[in-house]
Amino acid sequence: MADVSALNALLPADAHAALLRCCGSTRWADAMTARRPFASTDELLRTADEMWFTLDTAAWLEAFAAHPRIGDVDTLRKKFATTAAWCEGEQAGVSGADDEVLHKLSAGNRAYEGRFGHIFIVCATGKTAAEMLALLESRLPNDPDTELRVAAGEQAKITRLRLEKL
């Protein structure tokens, strides 16, 4: 985002909808909408992080649920139409992956969800499918509290990138 004037100028409902595209937590979008106007992009990004890390687990899980599984292009297109273009760009590293890596990602996603109760969240921008698979596998041994904090940190990175695209 070059400047925040366009976001500041939106009606509250429109700003809320735009912010929800960046982070799927309703409480985060509520807080961000209420904090407008932002004096600068730096203030917007700083506030986004501040608001995110004050939320509880339920709000984080709501945001995680707004993402398609890594590599799940069909779900991405159907369920996440409003953010599909961003997700496709963010997950571009999956598009050229070989079948073995894709199958391992699929199995890893199922194992991760079974262990932690939410989808695997990673800031996928610039990462290959193999790199994302390695990250998934490296995070599976985490205890649930540690993994929740790691996933929340990844969500914060995704939100920042999306705010910059907004």
Side-chain angles (χ1 to χ4, degrees):
M1 176 181 282
D3 70 55
V4 293
S5 59
L7 178 63
N8 289 337
L10 292 174
L11 294 172
D14 294 334
H16 191 269
L19 290 163
L20 268 178
R21 290 180 59 218
C22 298
C23 176
S25 167
T26 304
R27 287 185 38 225
W28 178 85
D30 291 346
M32 291 295 291
T33 301
R35 293 286 296 264
R36 293 180 321 138
F38 297 103
S40 66
T41 300
D42 286 341
E43 181 187 353
L44 169 69
L45 297 175
R46 190 173 44 257
T47 303
D49 280 345
E50 289 171 11
M51 295 297 98
W52 175 247
F53 288 108
T54 64
L55 296 175
D56 62 15
T57 299
W60 286 356
L61 293 175
E62 179 188 21
F64 300 168
H67 291 275
R69 285 179 188 87
I70 294 292
D72 188 348
V73 177
D74 290 334
T75 299
L76 185 154
R77 287 192 181 113
K78 292 175 190 167
K79 184 177 177 187
F80 304 97
T82 61
T83 59
W86 285 349
C87 292
E88 284 177 1
E90 291 163 1
Q91 293 191 28
V94 173
S95 64
D98 64 46
D99 284 346
E100 180 183 356
V101 171
L102 291 176
H103 288 295
K104 286 182 179 179
L105 263 175
S106 179
N109 279 321
R110 285 190 304 276
Y112 183 97
E113 288 177 43
R115 176 156 168 70
F116 300 113
H118 58 82
I119 69 164
F120 172 65
I121 299 291
V122 64
C123 184
T125 301
K127 292 177 179 65
T128 67
E131 289 169 327
M132 288 183 268
L133 176 60
L135 287 167
L136 189 155
E137 291 172 340
S138 73
R139 287 170 48 187
L140 272 172
N142 286 345
D143 66 83
D145 289 338
T146 298
E147 184 51 31
L148 181 65
R149 287 190 305 278
V150 171
E154 292 297 304
Q155 174 65 56
K157 292 176 195 174
I158 295 165
T159 299
R160 173 178 280 271
L161 289 172
R162 289 181 176 185
L163 284 169
E164 290 171 348
K165 293 174 187 175
L166 188 65

